[in-house]
Amino acid sequence: MKIVKSLVLGLSVLMILMGGLWIGQGLNIIRWPAESFMIGVPQWSWNGTGLALVGLLLFWWSRRP
C-alpha cells in the first residue's frame, strides 16, 4: 500500500501544478507557451480548478496514516 500512496502522491502534485498552469493560462496571467490555444480562454481556468481540486483530494488521501 505504501508504493500506491507514493505513486498517488507524485500524481497529485503533478495534477496540482498542471491545474495551476491551466488556471493561469485561462485567466491570461501565464502566457507560456506563447502559441498555446488555452491562453485567455476562461473555460481552461475552470478545468484547471477541477484538476487542482482532485489533485488536492488525492494529496490529502495519500498523506493519511
Side-chain angles (χ1 to χ4, degrees):
M1 188 67 159
K2 184 175 175 147
I3 294 173
V4 172
K5 285 196 171 192
S6 295
L7 289 172
V8 170
L9 177 65
L11 179 64
S12 69
V13 169
L14 289 174
M15 291 172 75
I16 293 167
L17 292 173
M18 183 68 71
L21 176 64
W22 288 3
I23 292 168
Q25 285 182 329
L27 295 176
N28 208 14
I29 296 170
I30 299 173
R31 302 190 56 77
W32 174 84
E35 64 276 353
S36 176
F37 61 91
M38 298 188 314
I39 295 174
V41 181
Q43 179 62 41
W44 285 103
S45 63
W46 291 108
N47 295 347
T49 301
L51 183 65
L53 286 175
V54 171
L56 284 171
L57 285 173
L58 287 175
F59 184 84
W60 170 78
W61 179 82
S62 69
R63 300 299 296 163
R64 287 183 355 169

